[in-house]
Amino acid sequence: MKISHIEHLGIAVQSIEKSLPYFENVLGLKCYNVEEVADQKVKTAFLKCGEVKLELLEPTCPESTIQKWLDKGNKGIHHIAFAIEDGVANALAECDEKGIRLIDAAPRKGAENLNIAFLHPKSTEGILTELCEH
């Protein structure tokens, strides 16, 4: 697997509208894209910090995995996403060969039209890991 850079950090929030003032007015970052990813039951907002994007993740329903994560008392950084140069499908096959537990057996569409897949935190030092490709 060839990782080129950190694609984004996913940050779980209860409300993008209530969270954006901190990122924009205090940190001076600007939101450049808001979209809903219906099949993942989230609304996302993207901000850039240098070359790294921050993705705010707001649940759109109680069944959202983000809502369930928040309901457990978690908040803040939810996952780290890496940009994969040699394809997410190849990276998944390599991870599977190395005994890494996969959440996604095949790539799927995510926000910003990326092909994405997740690795289970029980196999990745407790870090929910997203693999992305444009």
Side-chain angles (χ1 to χ4, degrees):
M1 164 175 20
K2 188 171 181 187
I3 295 174
S4 63
H5 62 280
I6 293 174
E7 211 289 322
H8 66 267
L9 296 174
I11 301 169
V13 298
Q14 196 63 59
S15 165
I16 288 172
E17 183 180 346
K18 290 180 181 175
S19 299
L20 269 180
Y22 168 70
F23 292 94
E24 293 188 318
N25 301 335
V26 176
L27 299 180
L29 305 174
K30 295 296 171 215
C31 178
Y32 68 87
N33 183 35
V34 176
E35 68 180 277
E36 186 171 329
V37 184
D39 68 320
Q40 294 179 33
K41 300 178 179 94
V42 295
K43 181 172 146 184
T44 64
F46 284 92
L47 306 101
K48 280 233 39 176
C49 181
E51 295 300 312
V52 177
K53 295 185 283 188
L54 302 179
E55 177 189 34
L56 303 184
L57 299 153
E58 174 186 311
T60 57
C61 69
E63 295 78 31
S64 166
T65 56
I66 297 299
Q67 185 61 60
K68 291 174 184 175
W69 193 76
L70 291 167
D71 288 345
K72 292 179 183 173
N74 299 307
K75 59 183 173 178
I77 295 179
H78 177 262
H79 67 270
I80 185 168
F82 294 103
I84 306 299
E85 289 186 2
D86 50 348
V88 172
N90 292 334
L92 286 171
E94 183 179 330
C95 289
D96 190 43
E97 283 177 15
K98 293 179 178 178
I100 299 298
R101 187 171 161 191
L102 309 178
I103 292 176
D104 298 299
R108 57 187 163 107
K109 284 293 179 197
E112 296 193 314
N113 205 34
L114 294 174
N115 289 325
I116 66 164
F118 284 90
L119 306 178
H120 200 286
K122 288 187 178 175
S123 296
T124 58
E125 301 302 315
I127 302 163
L128 180 60
T129 303
E130 182 179 5
L131 307 176
C132 305
E133 72 177 313
H134 289 273

